[in-house]
Amino acid sequence: MNILDNIDFSPNAETMRKQAHIAAASEDETELLKLIELSKNIGRPKAAYTVSYVTERNEDTLQIDDVTFKSRTLALHLKEVERVFPYVATCGHEMDEEYKDDGDMLKAFWWDLIKQSMLDTANTALHEHLENTYRLGKTASMQPGSADVAVWPIEQQKALFALLGDVEENLGVHLTESCLMIPNKTVSGIYFPTETDFRSCEVCRRDNCPSRRVAFNEELWQAIHHA
């Protein structure tokens, strides 16, 4: 497992103020700035990845190293790919351990925004590291549970963590029995080189998803599930 744990976090307070819909020069802005300063002192965004290889594949499943995954969509997008990069990126467990929740729901919401910004920073650092180190060119990624259950079930997080190694020991990310990750601002998945643009959102039928990046693609869905 390759670990990136020296990631600089320099949040843009003005951008975050606007995201939180806080008026400039208000008491709320003062409180938000205190939280941002706290996050800069205690936050440790991190990421980890491995370099793995597809060893077997068929229409619905594929084996990466010695771990088997069941996903027709994943198998389709990796049908011409040999080398892949399983990964985890997180805001860091320190953000949960050091923050004292006083029951103020508004502050908790602001803290969650800061954690998301920290996760985005970790994800960007990981992507740049992979590009600079391996010269991947155009890449795409898939994450268990990020789209419809038929795309790549969230239960496959267990297989992904097994492929990565001891994620909790090395990164401080805990996988629950229901396959949710703690801290909550954590993502995991597989990066892979691709000649075409692809996002999991394209094959997700969930309406009103706050994380949607692109529109649902009915033609792509039909091509995958009725091949």
Side-chain angles (χ1 to χ4, degrees), residues 73 76-81 136-142 192-200 202 217 220 224:
T73 307
L76 175 65
H77 285 285
L78 297 184
K79 67 179 181 179
E80 303 293 338
V81 176
L136 300 179
K138 183 179 289 186
T139 61
S141 68
M142 285 187 61
F192 53 93
T194 180
E195 295 301 319
T196 60
D197 291 319
F198 170 74
R199 298 292 183 273
S200 295
E202 294 181 79
N217 186 328
L220 179 59
I224 293 172

Side-chain angles (χ1 to χ4, degrees), residues 209-223:
C209 175
S211 299
R212 181 172 289 282
R213 296 289 184 267
V214 295
F216 174 71
N217 186 328
E218 179 70 36
E219 184 177 347
L220 179 59
W221 170 272
Q222 294 293 338

Side-chain angles (χ1 to χ4, degrees), residues 20-204:
H21 305 291
I22 293 174
S26 64
E27 291 184 8
D28 282 350
E29 182 184 31
T30 299
E31 293 302 314
L32 174 64
L33 291 175
K34 289 179 181 178
L35 292 180
I36 291 174
E37 193 60 31
L38 175 62
S39 74
K40 289 165 64 177
N41 291 332
I42 69 173
R44 298 292 182 271
K46 330 174 164 59
Y49 71 95
T50 64
V51 182
S52 298
Y53 295 87
V54 178
T55 53
E56 293 183 21
R57 70 188 96 213
N58 59 41
E59 190 175 80
D60 296 307
T61 64
L62 73 163
Q63 185 169 301
I64 301 175
D65 292 347
D66 58 352
V67 179
T68 300
F69 295 92
K70 182 174 178 59
S71 166
R72 176 175 287 215
T73 307
L74 184 64
L76 175 65
H77 285 285
L78 297 184
K79 67 179 181 179
E80 303 293 338
V81 176
E82 301 298 331
R83 186 178 62 173
V84 297
F85 299 84
Y87 72 91
V88 175
T90 180
C91 68
H93 59 89
E94 296 84 359
M95 292 292 282
D96 288 343
E97 293 171 356
E98 299 295 332
Y99 175 62
K100 306 303 180 185
D101 187 352
D102 60 4
D104 188 320
M105 294 182 64
L106 194 55
K107 287 184 181 179
F109 169 68
W110 296 341
W111 191 248
D112 221 42
L113 283 179
I114 296 170
K115 288 170 65 178
Q116 180 62 53
S117 178
M118 199 168 283
L119 168 59
D120 293 343
T121 298
N123 223 351
T124 298
L126 172 62
H127 189 272
E128 290 178 351
H129 171 82
L130 292 177
E131 172 58 30
N132 293 335
T133 304
Y134 301 98
R135 302 299 179 187
L136 300 179
K138 183 179 289 186
T139 61
S141 68
M142 285 187 61
Q143 302 85 31
S146 67
D148 288 358
V149 65
V151 175
W152 196 10
I154 193 171
E155 290 78 12
Q156 297 259 285
Q157 289 278 27
K158 294 179 180 178
L160 183 59
F161 271 50
L163 181 60
L164 282 160
D166 197 337
V167 175
E168 185 161 10
E169 175 67 24
N170 289 292
L171 217 61
V173 173
H174 173 66
L175 187 65
T176 70
E177 285 298 317
S178 57
C179 296
L180 298 177
M181 292 178 290
I182 300 173
N184 64 324
K185 296 306 179 182
T186 302
V187 294
S188 66
I190 295 177
Y191 273 115
F192 53 93
T194 180
E195 295 301 319
T196 60
D197 291 319
F198 170 74
R199 298 292 183 273
S200 295
C201 298
E202 294 181 79
V203 288
C204 177

